[in-house]
Amino acid sequence: MSTDRKSIPVSIPEGLVEELDKLVEEGTFGSRSEALRYGARLVAREATQKRLHEQTATSAERDIEERLERKRVR
């Protein structure tokens, strides 16, 4: 195993194991581990995008509030 990876125990429902096995058999993934890594990357990417979206929305709201306040002060 590569030194840049960490092994973690994972328990998943039997039905999901069967789906993973089908994906491996079809050649979509080389192994269950590869499929699970792909899924983990998707989850992490989605969480990152959600955080960035929330940060952008918050920043935009603050910018609008500041601009409106400056207009009121004038």
Side-chain angles (χ1 to χ4, degrees):
M1 182 183 299
S2 171
T3 58
D4 65 333
R5 295 186 184 186
K6 184 174 183 176
S7 180
I8 57 170
V10 176
S11 296
I12 57 176
E14 182 66 31
L16 187 52
V17 172
E18 291 170 3
E19 288 299 319
L20 289 174
D21 288 344
K22 285 180 191 175
L23 291 168
V24 171
E25 288 171 17
E26 294 168 355
T28 304
F29 296 100
S31 66
R32 289 176 179 169
S33 291
E34 184 182 329
L36 291 171
R37 281 191 299 272
Y38 180 83
R41 283 192 298 272
L42 288 177
V43 169
R45 184 179 303 137
E46 184 176 308
T48 298
Q49 288 176 340
K50 182 179 178 186
R51 280 193 301 272
L52 288 172
H53 177 76
E54 290 169 352
Q55 291 170 355
T56 301
T58 301
S59 177
E61 288 172 6
R62 271 191 255 124
D63 184 49
I64 291 168
E65 289 173 9
E66 290 172 6
R67 288 170 186 253
L68 288 173
E69 184 60 32
R70 277 184 267 163
K71 279 192 168 215
R72 284 185 221 129
V73 172
R74 289 182 185 175

